[in-house]
């Protein structure tokens, strides 16, 4: 994980130290900012006794409330055997404490690299096994058992088309920068807009698929790997129902993974390990992973919608991700429409 060691440059560090000591009883030695996450400010905390903790500072009352519901789902997943960081409750047993003007939760710090480095070899099997075990247990969550739904619900064709039309006009507006990335983005947007009827047809050709309580944000940054094993699954969202095939596709179809030509030959390893851990999953759900992943990604304007008004070196990483995500969407679409 990338961190900043310039503790003095973080205005939040001083109230955070006080909150950790008063609300959680942690004698703080060092606080380091972790540059990851969008819904919270994240820090690695080293205590004077050598213990290490992961502190999430929630930016609003609504996010703090959502975090408390997400903690419940995390703890539920732990009881089902999913590796998750241990939660440290506050001195008054709260899962999200409010102290010194901050709302924060504190977790065990887990060493590992995120799956953003890509799935390779045995990692496919390890991730598939953990994800299958997680979904099998989440299927018993008290918020609701699995039910079948029409996969066309995954996207709103009219809203998606209108969104692409607006974005194309924004990239074409008078005065817009005509750099190489803008030219590429316009071509990509037009290509995706033209594919929408086929995307809808792909979804309509699928049978009803399983919806159930999911992790909610099972993207590569939220799967920590240690060697070829899964060290932890992090950053659960509040219990929400979604398509099981979509969540499998979120991690199996990560753009960094699909950048390696062998992905299509290695994907069955993840699906086989998933099925071994979750033997009652309907075959239709796993058979639909590529189609669902392609449809969802092709209908999503991120990160092109973010980049339309931003240029410069600061956006280089996001521009690279935009190209990778577009290539991954097309690769999944081709695989879903050509396999037997």
């Amino acid at each position: 994980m990338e961190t900043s060691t310039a503790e003095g440059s973080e205005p939040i560090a001083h109230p955070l130290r006080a909150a950790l000591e008063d609300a959680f009883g942690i004698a703080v030695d060092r606080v380091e900012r972790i540059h990851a996450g969008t819904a919270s400010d994240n820090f690695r905390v080293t205590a004077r006794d050598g213990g290490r903790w992961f502190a999430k500072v929630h930016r609003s009352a609504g996010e703090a409330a959502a975090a408390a519901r997400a903690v419940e789902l995390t703890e539920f997943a732990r009881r089902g055997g999913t590796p998750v960081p241990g939660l440290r409750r506050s001195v008054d047993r709260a899962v999200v404490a409010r102290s010194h003007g901050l709302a924060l939760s504190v977790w065990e710090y887990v060493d590992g690299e995120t799956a953003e480095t890509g799935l390779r070899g045995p990692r496919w099997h390890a991730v598939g096994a953990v994800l299958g075990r997680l979904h099998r247990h989440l299927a018993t969550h008290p918020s609701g058992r699995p039910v079948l739904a029409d996969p066309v619900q995954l996207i709103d064709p009219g809203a998606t088309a209108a969104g692409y039309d607006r974005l194309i006009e924004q990239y074409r507006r008078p005065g817009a920068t005509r750099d190489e990335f803008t030219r590429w983005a316009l071509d990509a947007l037009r290509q995706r807009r033209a594919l929408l009827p086929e995307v809808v047809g792909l979804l309509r050709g699928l049978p009803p698929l399983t919806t159930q309580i999911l992790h909610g944000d099972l993207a590569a940054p939220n799967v920590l790997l240690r060697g070829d094993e899964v060290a932890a699954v992090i950053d659960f969202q509040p219990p929400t129902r979604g398509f099981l095939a979509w969540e499998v596709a979120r991690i199996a179809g990560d753009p960094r993974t699909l950048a390696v030509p062998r992905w299509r030959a290695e994907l069955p390893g993840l699906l086989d390990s998933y099925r071994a851990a979750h033997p009652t999953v309907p075959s239709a759900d796993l058979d639909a992973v590529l189609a669902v992943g392609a449809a969802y990604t092709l209908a999503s304007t991120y990160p092109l919608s973010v980049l339309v008004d931003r240029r410069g070196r600061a956006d280089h990483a996001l521009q690279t991700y935009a190209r990778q995500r577009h290539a991954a969407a097309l690769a999944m679409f081709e695989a879903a429409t050509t396999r037997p």
Side-chain angles (χ1 to χ4, degrees):
M1 293 184 181
E2 181 186 357
T3 63
S4 168
T5 58
E7 182 178 332
S9 67
E10 295 288 351
I12 202 172
H14 299 297
L16 176 58
R17 275 178 168 267
L20 288 166
E21 293 181 357
D22 292 347
F24 290 90
I26 298 174
V28 177
D29 178 58
R30 188 173 184 82
V31 174
E32 301 167 89
R33 180 70 175 263
I34 297 174
H35 294 285
T38 57
S40 61
D41 296 307
N42 301 323
F43 299 85
R44 181 170 62 186
V45 178
T46 303
R48 293 192 192 119
D49 64 5
R52 292 189 300 165
W53 302 95
F54 180 77
K56 296 172 68 72
V57 177
H58 308 287
R59 296 172 184 164
S60 69
E63 288 170 357
R69 297 196 305 275
V71 167
E72 180 276 326
L73 189 63
T74 308
E75 295 291 275
F76 184 84
R78 173 192 280 276
R79 292 193 293 273
T82 300
V84 300
L87 173 73
R88 177 163 178 151
R89 291 177 178 264
S90 71
V91 293
D92 61 1
R93 308 302 297 161
V95 297
V96 176
R98 289 170 173 79
S99 179
H100 293 270
L102 302 177
L104 66 156
S105 55
V106 177
W107 304 80
E108 169 194 8
Y109 186 86
V110 178
D111 283 312
E113 61 178 347
T114 71
E116 290 171 293
T117 54
L119 301 185
R120 308 284 185 271
R123 290 183 171 186
W124 286 95
H125 295 275
V127 170
V130 168
L131 184 53
R133 188 161 64 245
L134 171 64
H135 283 172
R136 184 187 68 203
H137 188 62
L138 291 183
T140 68
H141 193 273
S143 293
R145 297 303 176 96
V147 297
L148 296 178
D150 186 345
V152 174
Q153 298 175 20
L154 186 72
I155 65 172
D156 182 332
T160 300
Y164 270 118
D165 290 340
R166 286 193 300 270
L167 199 52
I168 288 168
E169 288 306 308
Q170 285 180 276
Y171 272 93
R172 294 179 62 237
R173 71 184 185 278
T177 303
R178 290 291 183 263
D179 57 16
E180 188 276 334
F181 177 79
T182 300
R183 293 192 296 272
W184 174 85
L186 273 169
D187 287 343
L189 288 165
R190 288 168 176 149
Q191 184 178 17
R192 292 158 84 106
R193 176 66 175 85
L195 279 174
L196 278 178
E198 293 182 63
V199 168
V200 174
L202 184 61
L203 291 176
R204 285 179 175 158
L206 297 175
L209 300 177
T210 301
T211 65
Q212 66 167 69
I213 300 300
L214 301 174
H215 172 285
D217 190 19
L218 200 77
N222 294 330
V223 176
L224 300 182
L225 300 167
R226 190 178 297 127
D228 289 330
E229 299 300 322
V230 177
V233 178
I234 63 174
D235 211 14
F236 281 73
Q237 300 302 296
T240 304
R241 183 178 294 276
F243 283 99
L244 181 151
W246 167 80
E247 187 147 274
V248 177
R250 285 289 308 277
I251 187 67
D254 179 82
R256 276 89 25 144
T257 291
L258 268 58
V260 177
R262 278 191 52 79
W263 73 267
R264 195 167 175 181
E266 293 189 318
L267 173 62
L270 181 146
L271 300 179
D272 289 346
S273 295
Y274 181 104
R275 188 185 302 279
H278 188 6
T280 60
V281 65
S283 296
D285 291 308
L286 297 186
D287 291 343
V289 163
L290 286 173
V292 167
Y296 177 83
T297 311
L298 285 169
S300 169
T301 60
Y302 181 82
L304 294 173
S305 55
V306 174
L307 288 164
V308 65
D309 291 318
R310 298 162 55 188
R311 297 291 184 270
R313 292 177 60 84
D315 292 321
H316 176 73
L318 203 54
Q319 290 179 5
T320 299
Y321 181 70
R323 296 176 191 266
Q324 291 174 331
R325 195 166 193 247
H326 180 66
L330 295 179
M332 286 189 286
F333 183 78
E334 179 184 9
T337 52
T338 59
R339 68 178 186 170

